[in-house]
Amino acid sequence: MAGLATAFGSGAMTNSINELEDVDVVIVSGSNTTEAHPQIARRILAAVDRGAKLIVIDPRRTALAQEAHVHLALRPGTDIALLNGMMRIILDEGLADDHFIEMRTENFIALRDQLFKIDLDEIAAITGVDRQLMHTAACLYARAYKSTFCYCLGITQHICGTNNVQTIANMAMLTGNVEKENAGVDPLRGQNNVQGACDMAALPACLPGYQSLADMQIRQKFKQCWGVDVPLTPGRTVLDMTHSGHNGTLRGMFVMGENPILSDPDQTKVQATLEGLDFLAVSDIFLTETAQLAHVVFPAASFAEKSGTVTNSERRVQYMHQVIEPIGECKPDSTIIAELAERMGYEMYYESMAEVMEEIALLIPIYGGMHHDRLRSSWGLQWPCPNRDHPGTPFLHKHYFSGGKGHFTPAQHQEPFEPPGDAFPLTLITGRIYHHYHTGTMTRRCASLNRESDKALLQINPVDATTSAIRNGDLVELTSRRGTIRLWAQISEDIRPGQVYTTFHFSEAPVNLLTTGAADPIAKCPEFKVCAVKVARVES
Amino acid sequence: MEQILTICVYCGCGCGVYLGKENGRVVASSPSRNHPISQGNLCVKGWHLHEFIHHPERLTTPLLRKDNKLVPVGWDEALDYTARRLSEIRDSNGPDALGLLSSAKCSNEENYLLQKFSRAVLGTNNIDHCARL
Amino acid sequence: MKETTVILAKDNLQGLLRKLGRDKSLVAPVTNQWGDTLYTEITDIDGTELDLSKQPQASLKGFFFPQQEVIQTYDTTAGYEFTPQRHIQPTLFFGVRSCDLHAVLYMDMIFSSPERDDAYFARRQDTTIITLACTTPFANCFCNATGSGPFMEYGYDLQLTDLGDRFLVEAGRQQGEQILQAWGHFFEPATEEDVQLQYQLSLEAGGRFQRKVEVEHACRILASGEVDEQIWQQLSARCADCGGCAYVCPTCTCFNIRDAQQEPSKGERIRSWDACTFSGFTRMAGGHNPINSDHALQRRFLHKLKYDVEKHGKPSCVGCGRCVDICFGHVDITTFIEAVVED
């Protein structure tokens, strides 16, 4: 989100999900939308049926790519080069929106100067994308009045993830495709409340509502409410914690509802770190791989056993009603936190979650009008919603960017951290499949879903399969510099030669044993999407 | 069968789902027709949202490691022990020797409370979640 | 004129339902605060407003054949011991449309042969269904094309027709007759004029369908020939594999059974809805699937429009139209029928 925040002043979907039905051109990049965000794919396909043009940027021939008017099957990790190439074409064709650039943006000269140095043949060589296709896509995007750019983790989980996002923002601003309905830049959020967790500042470098840790006035506001001074130094990111090493300076952790043993890259390192802690407490609904290492495990109430709000990808804050009482002795996480706080000498008593929300509304300006009584009886409100009378905001940046003027930040192509070579000749791409979700803690325990998909598959092109004498359905070993996993081969033309694809839902084939810990220097997003591997059939 | 509206816990779309309750158990999931996102339909994960709630492997009591094994204990013991260990580490190694991971699966209120716990009770900004993952 | 045809003044409806709800739970369409209309169990008849003007978003299927239910518990401590779990809840359903009742009659048939399904009939027994004739079909409805509406001709306990300030009430089965006898003071005799008005409304309802779906034509084509391969591929390409069509369909009755272990020797045998569109429905243990993904929808559409016609003489689609809006890819049964007929 860092990239979008730099460009637009706010890191969230600029449009609403339903606006996607009325776009003229939509680019989808690094997102297997039909499987990971079915409702968004439905809007995109509805737009296509209405006559909109669809451009898919993805190394794989995804289901959406098969419906696309233009599919740019780039080499993994070359998004910046491709988009820079497209922007150069837009400039050359005179399709830049000069008026928008003049009125609403700054630092365009830096981008222009960089784009003029680009050689399009070189771009074609780097990305593996045909120049003519690139040209078609660029013109489609730039000529339409309402163009939207959707992206997902295929953009952010690279060592250059922040630059990738900034480049997308550059292209949107270059063509004036922001600050209006049905046009914008839309990062698709992968989890039901990832937006909310960010908004609430379960983040190390800001206070709730993305407010500055260093601003004296804001610190004073929090001090008044919380009764204590907020620590000034930004904290550690998730990888700074889980990769801090055995017997590092991190001595104790409390993990609420996450499973870093499966979700974080370089599993060996994560395991060593967690095992070396003096104290690890985990709160979860199942005994996850991480909970198994803990000193204390709290049985948490599931979503059906408590009430509260969540914020979706389009910034819509929605109320979840409690359905049943907590099972067994389970307690909601809120109770567990409050009980710990009391025991550590800090009064944290709230009569209800509505009271917590009132404190949130008081401290976070964009949540200022979000109260449970408003949210319970409606379909929720989209932030910013500064006061009780405010109806919420379906699309962002109308009239002006929240950070003032939109900022162009030129970026250059950067090779992935671990390119394939002689020893590890294939590029591994990771992603999600339709039937499962993240580390599988929940979906693997849904009998119907697990029947549909019960084992990890490795998509491999027939050419590579033949080279390694692999048949469809064979058990294969996939090895990177960090480890080996076993999974089943699925021969498919949807993946290109030299690349293989698998998912991260299966604890019996933990892909994070293979992926690199290399991360984007600003967003600290690990490069999950690209690493070098080799594959071999397991002799029975 | 009572139908209670909630929000799907999987991806960031945020579909409106009715959970069907019978004899205290959640036994059905179905889409809300008027919800702005679900508009009457759900993906395969949403249609099976109820299936993990009563899974026999659900944790139902606190567990505490004793003799290198996790054994069931009462809430007070688990909470007292945790509060004591967190205080000890904070007092001997400083607050930044502690780290917290919150969850994109938990509610806004819970995320807010955990970061408040981190900043106001423990005294560290070492809090993050899996947005990057 | 039918034998037992009476009039119920609308003002008397609440009083009648209160009486009928004494020894049964009462379920009727209610629109909630979010605008969703659901068949809802009514516990406070004075504080609940029925909504007979909208189609409930789910049919009655889930009441008799729930999405998930424990049908047995098992204990293997000393041999195999199974204890059936039966849920009996006497219920009166009010305001049911003819498509939904036709679907219940179809389920009664499916679950009674070759073996009687005890779990289903435990829930089904002792239920009364009062239908409401459709004078204004909903946007996606096509029950006129499937022979299951808009007015019931048989199979109902009581059928009500809205005549403005009053309902015309017809008793179809014994249970309906019993209600009329037991609570006769709520009713008054119907005049010839009332019966003529009902007939007029049924004529007009037939002309109010917004969709023309050529079900019979499609059935005839399917009975005699193959479907063009391209149709299957085009439809399957847009199928999002959600299973929603089968789940929302009032006549889709496929299920899966699994055992969930609770303790080492004890557990529950759970039945849950299944969909023939899922690949796991036909995938074999070794991973081979005789039906490839290009034909994911084939089983469902042919079952409804070909095999059931061969077996029972009519299609098992009741034309309720619920699968139309629920489909992610607009590849519902009406799209299929159109494609077959055009071809």
Side-chain angles (χ1 to χ4, degrees), chain A residues 203 318 343 359 434 523, chain B residues 35 45 76 80 112 119 132:
Chain A
L203 294 171
Q318 308 193 84
R343 281 170 167 78
E359 189 170 315
Y434 182 50
Chain B
H35 187 276
K45 294 184 285 291
D76 277 334
D80 287 343
Y112 173 80
R119 295 186 162 109
R132 299 166 172 86

Side-chain angles (χ1 to χ4, degrees), chain A residues 80-345:
Chain A
I80 296 175
L82 177 67
L83 296 180
N84 278 344
M86 286 170 70
M87 284 194 280
R88 171 64 190 268
I89 293 165
I90 290 168
L91 277 186
D92 288 350
E93 294 291 322
L95 295 171
D97 188 337
D98 298 328
H99 200 214
F100 183 87
I101 295 167
E102 169 75 27
M103 296 289 288
R104 295 285 166 86
T105 69
E106 60 191 21
N107 205 33
F108 173 62
I109 301 301
L111 178 76
R112 192 195 61 191
D113 289 353
Q114 194 212 315
L115 291 180
F116 279 138
K117 286 185 211 138
I118 279 177
D119 173 5
L120 285 172
D121 286 323
E122 200 183 313
I123 296 281
I126 292 172
T127 59
V129 174
D130 176 68
R131 262 190 76 165
Q132 188 52 46
L133 270 186
M134 221 185 292
H135 192 273
T136 311
C139 293
L140 274 176
Y141 178 80
R143 282 206 174 103
Y145 178 69
K146 296 185 290 192
S147 290
T148 288
F149 200 119
C150 294
Y151 67 90
C152 198
L153 296 178
I155 283 293
T156 51
Q157 286 181 343
H158 289 284
I159 46 169
C160 50
T162 303
N163 289 343
N164 279 348
V165 175
Q166 276 164 348
T167 307
I168 292 171
N170 288 345
M171 196 156 104
M173 292 190 291
L174 179 70
T175 53
N177 275 311
V178 258
E179 297 193 320
K180 59 190 182 197
E181 205 171 355
N182 314 119
V185 178
D186 297 325
L188 310 181
R189 294 298 212 163
Q191 309 229 20
N192 67 328
N193 199 30
V194 68
Q195 186 68 52
C198 290
D199 297 345
M200 293 304 122
L203 294 171
C206 62
L207 285 167
Y210 312 98
Q211 298 176 87
S212 163
L213 268 172
D215 186 307
M216 280 317 292
Q217 256 184 331
I218 285 163
R219 295 178 61 81
Q220 186 57 33
K221 176 170 79 172
F222 278 85
K223 185 180 178 178
Q224 220 175 22
C225 181
W226 292 355
V228 292
D229 261 321
V230 177
L232 187 60
T233 3
R236 300 173 191 240
T237 64
V238 50
L239 290 190
D240 288 337
M241 292 189 236
T242 60
H243 281 188
S244 63
H246 198 75
N247 293 327
T249 49
L250 195 70
R251 301 309 323 143
M253 281 188 83
F254 178 30
V255 178
M256 178 173 93
E258 293 225 340
N259 188 10
I261 289 283
L262 278 192
S263 65
D264 293 15
D266 204 343
Q267 189 187 64
T268 317
K269 211 171 188 176
V270 178
Q271 184 143 359
T273 307
L274 296 185
E275 283 175 349
L277 293 173
D278 293 336
F279 180 69
L280 173 64
V282 172
S283 169
D284 214 310
I285 59 173
F286 292 107
L287 193 65
T288 61
E289 291 71 14
T290 305
Q292 286 166 27
L293 302 176
H295 298 95
V296 177
V297 180
F298 297 118
S302 79
F303 76 105
E305 298 148 45
K306 61 189 183 192
S307 62
T309 63
V310 287
T311 308
N312 79 351
S313 205
E314 52 170 8
R315 301 165 277 103
R316 184 187 299 274
V317 182
Q318 308 193 84
Y319 186 82
M320 300 175 84
H321 295 261
Q322 182 174 352
V323 180
I324 51 170
E325 288 302 311
I327 65 164
E329 292 176 37
C330 292
K331 286 180 196 279
D333 286 305
S334 54
T335 311
I336 299 170
I337 299 163
E339 297 242 4
L340 285 175
E342 306 258 335
R343 281 170 167 78
M344 295 180 73

Side-chain angles (χ1 to χ4, degrees), chain A residues 410-424:
Chain A
Q412 278 178 347
H413 171 63
Q414 182 182 0
E415 275 296 307
F417 175 76
E418 193 178 73
D422 289 344
F424 299 94

